[in-house]
Amino acid sequence: MKVSVIISYHNEKIFINECLDSLEEQIYRDFEAIVVCDHIDGEAMEELRGRQVSFPMTIVELSEGSGVAAARNAGIRASQGEFILFLDCDDYLEKTALDFMIRRSDGQDIVYGRKRGTWYSRKAYYENLQKQEEINDAEAEEEEDDDETQIDRTMPEVRESDSEWIKVFCHIVRYGSMITGLSVLGVLFRREYILENNVFFEEGYKYYSDLPYIVHAMCGTEKVFEVRKILYHKRYHNDPINMPALSQVSDEKTRIMEIMRAYLTIKEYVKEHEDDRAEIAVDGKFIRYYVKKIARFYVTANAKDSQEVYSEASKCLPLVREEAKKRAMLYSRRLMKRSMKRDTTAIAKMVRKHSALQTFRRVVTKKSECKKYLYRKIFTKMKLKEDLVIIESFFGRNYSDNPKYIFEYLNKAYPGRYKYVWILNKKEKLPYPATRIKRFSVRYFYYMGRAKYFVFNVRQPKYIQKREGTVFLETWHGTPLKRLAFDMEDNASASPFYRRYKRDIYAQTRLWDYMIAPNQFSLDVFRSCFMFDGEMLSTGYPRNDILHLEEESKAAMTAEIKKELGIPEGKKVILYAPTFRDDEYYDHAQYKFALQLDLDLLRKELGDEYVVLLRTHYFIVDSLDLTAYEGFAFNGSTYNDIARLYLISDILITDYSSVFFDFANLRRPMLFFTYDLEKYRDILHGFYIDVEEELPGPMLFTTEEIVDSIRNLPEVVDKYKEKYDVFYEKYCGWEDGNASKKVVEAVFGK
Ligand code: C2G
């Protein structure tokens, strides 16, 4: 039984290959692919034509019409299989998808499979699954994949004795929070049934042609079966700024108008079905949509748009059945009632009142909400403090990095001109007067609302605004090796927590007035990865100024720091400072750490001459237990400023951390312990530079190799001398010990 997989392809060039890969790996092999190209560019067309596949693939080019509805219709017309299945080119199928569905298709017109949204590329998705040992077994029994939390309890109940149709219909409508969740994706349709009943997509829709289509198809037959297994992966685009999926385009009015139009059509279809519950289920979803979107629209829209929506809504509301209203929440029922009788102003008033009440509830029951409310409504409305500088490094973790050196230079250059507030979560001694506050305390919100100057080295929370007159200096925290933000195709780490990662980054980086670039390379990357178009300070990093002090001062500081840490004077120091692993976490910004260095071996082989100083990344929450290595291994993880640790270190061992760009300022030897290079580079992050080519030291994979390199250090140094010189020129060439001065003069000197 042949399946025609209809792929609609518009401008999602970066996704199509993974989509076709997922077909390539189908267990069930009797299928053809029909790729309907909706006015794609010549290059994309050429690439598609050049793509080798092991299954029959027909390319259809839309000559007239456009949009996903037109593309799917063209696909239906070109298909030859007994079944058809729609697949969007930015999505991918489970390899068992066709097999599962075909095995259950006997005598059915529709086999309804499950879909799930994912932020992952196919490669990253399976890598992640494998890790959690959740991989789908092709032979596994069908299982219930219901996500109970998503089920809407206002929907009509289904009984065991009900027909399969009502079971499936009510189930798919129940599942998903709004009417917009209905979809044709991951559903197998018998082609003959579709053609006989003339089930085609209405091409006038831009966003929601799926809705009338699936209901039309389902209402015409009792031969429907649901496979309760996730077979289809719907990819959310993680870059809605540059490449929004259709579902990410904000076009509220058109969407609302289309939903209402779809509702009117759907009502006609479901009415024909004898079981009322189908209609009640659809009405239940419409009520929800009305409350969440349509009524809220009146609050923000202009009079003309509101009126247009209102007149369409007036056709829909009388059709909503009483049984559905009875199941709705009290507020929804009241809102529906008012909407039947009153105009948009009255409806908007009710919505506003309700939302104010909800905010009030949140504010009085949740401390964090209360602080944000004060920030929004009071602190940001007070007069800006023209002489106030608020400073933070690594989310308030310590007194360190570029902000520290900017603060110190500011105090030296302009004594008494500014007042300072440091965001510090633990007690630390500061060399100049400053008010210390904890992140997210009431005082934090107060000062964030009133300070004229912001000096930060990471991103700030989403709700932080920039007031008129505020000057935002973003120093960032390293030359990027790992791809960042808009340059990351996939965001494997951010996905579970940061669903709106790129969108948030875009909004947050719009607040920055200045950024510091440590070198030309970073300057170019920051422009692209943050889409930053503010003023770039080509100064080098203030945090590296101390690495360019006179030798004498460095020696004095080294002695002082070694004493501070209890490191014996006569021992050389190996600093091990790796980065974190994106896929090894407990929670957001709470990462695990598993030490891969064999400390016993290091002590045995190098203990006479060296000590090891371990420094975990600031995201790591696991603490190191070094009690067994007293006198040999020292923990520098809680030490505030890593620049001072560089000063006392004779050798740096790191991996993919940006620390090596800074350490290189000292021109001391560096080794790269890259035991998981492939995974890190190819799956988790991706690098900006070719590490094999550019790293100024050897990439090593075992502690034995590290020991060996340290034993033969002069040869290693010699071997990498040329590369080191090139590296230094490229990444440290701007650093001359005066970056703090240059930054301060550029931002505060005006
Ligand atoms: N760092 C540290 N200790 C480590 C690792 C890092 O103190 N063991 C500090 C260094 O100042 C380093 C900065 O944190 O430069 C950033 O660390 P990375 O390991 O490079 O990782 P990340 O925080 O992802 O920043 O542009 C830079 C990138 O954003 C990377």
Side-chain angles (χ1 to χ4, degrees):
M1 271 179 299
K2 195 191 200 81
V3 182
S4 299
V5 180
I6 297 170
I7 303 174
S8 41
Y9 182 21
H10 182 38
N11 60 4
E12 305 86 345
K13 207 164 99 185
I14 62 161
F15 302 122
I16 182 96
N17 278 326
E18 286 212 330
C19 171
L20 294 174
D21 290 346
S22 83
L23 287 184
E24 203 64 81
E25 284 176 26
Q26 287 302 304
I27 293 171
Y28 186 81
R29 300 304 306 168
D30 189 10
F31 66 89
E32 60 166 354
I34 297 168
V35 185
V36 188
C37 300
D38 181 1
H39 304 92
I40 65 173
D41 66 41
E43 198 186 316
M45 196 55 152
E46 220 168 279
E47 267 176 42
L48 178 66
R49 289 223 168 90
R51 160 92 199 208
Q52 301 286 321
V53 284
S54 66
F55 46 84
M57 180 163 88
T58 310
I59 297 174
V60 178
E61 283 183 76
L62 279 191
S63 51
E64 46 194 73
S66 66
V68 67
R72 286 175 183 163
N73 284 342
I76 299 172
R77 286 187 208 103
S79 64
Q80 317 218 321
E82 205 166 333
F83 286 96
I84 51 179
L85 179 123
F86 301 103
L87 171 63
D88 284 353
C89 81
D90 46 350
D91 301 339
Y92 47 90
L93 291 178
E94 233 354 83
K95 66 179 175 193
T96 53
L98 295 182
D99 185 58
F100 248 106
M101 294 179 124
I102 283 293
R103 281 204 264 149
R104 278 129 188 106
S105 66
D106 194 23
Q108 308 293 354
D109 288 327
I110 298 174
V111 180
Y112 198 95
R114 281 286 166 81
K115 69 176 187 325
R116 178 155 64 188
T118 175
W119 291 86
Y120 290 109
S121 71
R122 195 167 164 265
K123 197 169 164 194
Y125 178 83
Y126 286 106
E127 177 72 20
N128 232 31
L129 267 191
Q130 221 158 14
K131 221 181 98 227
Q132 293 159 24
E133 295 173 344
E134 276 178 17
I135 206 145
N136 263 341
D137 183 357
E139 303 306 320
E141 276 307 297
E142 214 170 287
E143 60 195 67
E144 295 266 333
D145 256 333
D146 275 341
D147 177 357
E148 281 293 327
T149 54
Q150 278 198 29
I151 288 179
D152 180 355
R153 314 235 169 249
T154 64
M155 291 284 106
E157 284 85 39
V158 174
R159 291 176 290 269
E160 212 28 63
S161 55
D162 281 332
S163 72
E164 192 57 26
W165 188 91
I166 198 74
K167 276 186 194 154
V168 176
F169 189 82
C170 286
H171 193 254
I172 66 168
V173 179
R174 260 170 89 102
Y175 194 77
S177 61
M178 269 199 250
I179 196 164
T180 46
L182 288 173
S183 161
V184 300
L185 299 174
V187 184
L188 198 66
F189 299 92
R190 188 181 292 280
R191 187 164 149 273
E192 205 182 343
Y193 163 75
I194 291 296
L195 296 179
E196 267 173 13
N197 291 279
N198 205 22
V199 186
F200 279 87
F201 291 86
E202 270 189 59
E203 296 184 16
Y205 284 94
K206 187 169 175 198
Y207 302 108
Y208 296 118
S209 58
D210 275 36
L211 271 59
Y213 188 92
I214 187 72
V215 179
H216 182 185
M218 288 201 67
C219 285
T221 178
E222 282 287 331
K223 296 176 193 160
V224 181
F225 185 83
E226 186 182 16
V227 180
R228 294 192 180 188
K229 186 149 189 72
I230 286 145
L231 301 174
Y232 188 101
H233 299 282
K234 184 166 172 49
R235 228 179 123 151
Y236 303 126
H237 294 197
N238 67 17
D239 185 358
I241 305 297
N242 296 303
M243 203 197 301
L246 211 48
S247 57
Q248 290 166 324
V249 176
S250 57
D251 183 4
E252 199 67 349
K253 187 180 140 206
T254 316
R255 285 181 185 283
I256 287 174
M257 293 300 278
E258 280 200 5
I259 286 289
M260 292 194 287
R261 178 171 150 209
Y263 173 72
L264 294 173
T265 313
I266 290 172
K267 283 286 279 189
E268 292 299 317
Y269 292 133
V270 282
K271 258 206 191 97
E272 285 163 21
H273 208 273
E274 62 194 31
D275 197 312
D276 296 355
R277 281 175 299 169
E279 207 189 335
I280 297 169
V282 167
D283 283 352
K285 287 293 161 182
F286 181 74
I287 295 175
R288 203 179 190 122
Y289 188 83
Y290 182 81
V291 173
K292 295 217 159 165
K293 299 280 179 187
I294 304 176
R296 283 189 193 169
F297 182 77
Y298 301 137
V299 176
T300 49
N302 62 37
K304 186 176 156 278
D305 288 346
S306 288
Q307 208 42 51
E308 223 175 294
V309 166
Y310 181 74
S311 76
E312 192 70 7
S314 312
K315 292 183 213 154
C316 300
L317 290 172
L319 303 183
V320 179
R321 293 181 54 148
E322 282 308 313
E323 293 93 319
K325 287 187 199 160
K326 269 188 217 143
R327 292 168 180 274
M329 310 286 276
L330 181 64
Y331 166 67
S332 306
R333 292 204 302 269
R334 285 197 181 146
L335 188 64
M336 297 286 290
K337 204 165 157 192
R338 174 162 302 192
S339 302
M340 299 281 285
K341 294 186 192 148
R342 305 285 299 275
D343 62 9
T344 55
T345 322
I347 302 166
K349 199 169 154 197
M350 186 170 171
V351 173
R352 263 197 224 102
K353 222 166 124 189
H354 179 70
S355 112
L357 197 71
Q358 277 185 323
T359 309
F360 177 74
R361 259 194 220 124
R362 266 205 322 271
V363 168
V364 295
T365 52
K366 270 185 101 180
K367 234 175 165 177
S368 59
E369 290 299 322
C370 177
K371 291 184 229 174
K372 282 185 220 165
Y373 185 83
L374 291 173
Y375 170 73
R376 239 183 8 251
K377 300 281 179 190
I378 298 176
F379 303 149
T380 49
K381 306 281 184 281
M382 294 165 84
K383 197 165 172 273
L384 206 62
K385 286 183 181 268
E386 293 289 327
D387 60 348
L388 190 65
V389 186
I390 187 161
I391 315 180
E392 182 199 79
S393 179
F394 297 120
F395 312 100
R397 278 191 172 80
N398 47 32
Y399 175 62
S400 67
D401 208 58
N402 293 316
K404 162 180 168 178
Y405 293 95
I406 291 170
F407 168 67
E408 293 185 3
Y409 189 82
L410 263 172
N411 272 286
K412 270 187 238 148
Y414 310 118
R417 189 196 283 185
Y418 297 104
K419 293 200 173 68
Y420 301 92
V421 173
W422 258 95
I423 302 167
L424 280 171
N425 294 336
K426 56 180 188 199
K427 278 214 168 107
E428 287 207 56
K429 246 176 101 183
L430 304 181
Y432 296 98
T435 305
R436 266 165 279 212
I437 57 165
K438 288 208 166 117
R439 208 170 194 239
F440 304 140
S441 60
V442 178
R443 296 208 303 160
Y444 167 86
F445 287 98
Y446 174 76
Y447 288 116
M448 288 298 274
R450 299 203 64 186
K452 176 177 170 94
Y453 295 97
F454 287 180
V455 181
F456 298 123
N457 74 343
V458 289
R459 290 187 290 141
Q460 292 308 301
K462 281 186 282 185
Y463 47 78
I464 293 301
Q465 311 162 11
K466 196 173 82 136
R467 298 177 58 181
E468 174 128 28
T470 307
V471 177
F472 198 134
L473 167 61
E474 174 58 49
T475 73
W476 202 242
H477 52 272
T479 291
L481 167 69
K482 325 165 189 177
R483 296 185 86 82
L484 283 169
F486 282 97
D487 291 343
M488 278 168 88
E489 218 170 83
D490 233 296
N491 187 2
S493 67
S495 302
F497 309 114
Y498 272 10
R499 310 205 103 213
R500 294 159 48 99
Y501 181 64
K502 287 188 183 170
R503 193 182 304 212
D504 290 350
I505 285 199
Y506 185 74
Q508 288 161 326
T509 52
R510 291 321 86 189
L511 308 185
W512 302 350
D513 296 304
Y514 298 94
M515 265 203 98
I516 304 179
N519 41 54
Q520 184 64 45
F521 163 79
S522 301
L523 189 152
D524 297 337
V525 170
F526 293 156
R527 284 251 182 260
S528 116
C529 75
F530 296 127
M531 297 176 70
F532 179 69
D533 52 12
E535 189 170 338
M536 198 68 89
L537 306 174
S538 314
T539 53
Y541 266 158
R543 69 184 186 184
N544 290 337
D545 285 351
I546 61 162
L547 308 180
H548 290 270
L549 289 174
E550 299 288 315
E551 286 309 319
E552 220 172 285
S553 316
K554 276 200 265 187
M557 279 176 91
T558 303
E560 179 196 315
I561 300 163
K562 274 189 163 177
K563 203 167 154 204
E564 214 181 318
L565 289 165
I567 293 176
E569 268 285 350
K571 287 282 174 75
K572 289 187 195 155
V573 178
I574 304 168
L575 171 64
Y576 178 47
T579 195
F580 65 103
R581 300 298 183 272
D582 304 67
D583 60 339
E584 294 171 19
Y585 52 79
Y586 297 106
D587 207 336
H588 176 48
Q590 308 260 305
Y591 287 82
K592 301 178 186 177
F593 181 68
L595 182 65
Q596 303 289 329
L597 263 191
D598 182 346
L599 287 180
D600 290 308
L601 186 68
L602 283 179
R603 178 164 58 183
K604 184 164 154 260
E605 299 294 332
L606 305 167
D608 289 345
E609 200 180 343
Y610 290 96
V611 293
V612 172
L613 176 57
L614 295 138
R615 161 81 173 191
T616 53
H617 186 273
Y618 56 89
F619 275 163
I620 302 290
V621 288
D622 287 337
S623 47
L624 296 165
D625 180 7
L626 299 175
T627 39
Y629 303 96
E630 214 169 301
F632 174 68
F634 294 81
N635 192 352
S637 302
T638 53
Y639 193 79
N640 57 13
D641 184 5
I642 192 171
R644 288 166 67 85
L645 300 184
Y646 300 150
L647 268 187
I648 64 163
S649 301
D650 298 276
I651 304 172
L652 169 74
I653 306 175
T654 184
D655 43 17
Y656 327 104
S657 175
S658 59
V659 296
F660 65 86
F661 293 105
D662 302 283
F663 189 80
N665 280 284
L666 293 166
R667 286 194 183 258
R668 294 177 192 164
M670 299 197 276
L671 309 175
F672 297 85
F673 187 27
T674 49
Y675 54 88
D676 54 356
L677 175 68
E678 265 179 35
K679 180 173 160 195
Y680 200 94
R681 178 184 54 194
D682 303 338
I683 295 179
L684 293 181
H685 258 282
F687 297 150
Y688 283 110
I689 66 175
D690 179 352
V691 285
E692 265 110 352
E693 195 48 48
E694 286 202 51
L695 290 188
M699 286 204 281
L700 308 168
F701 299 86
T702 62
T703 308
E704 283 78 5
E705 287 178 357
I706 290 173
V707 168
D708 204 44
S709 288
I710 295 178
R711 281 245 170 93
N712 300 299
L713 205 57
E715 287 96 275
V716 173
V717 168
D718 200 42
K719 190 171 163 206
Y720 282 88
K721 188 180 172 316
E722 246 169 68
K723 276 197 179 179
Y724 211 131
D725 288 345
V726 175
F727 184 90
Y728 187 90
E729 191 49 40
K730 182 170 174 190
Y731 300 104
C732 311
W734 288 2
E735 309 274 15
D736 60 1
N738 291 310
S740 311
K741 179 172 186 283
K742 291 181 210 164
V743 169
V744 164
E745 281 172 2
V747 180
F748 297 87
K750 287 176 183 165

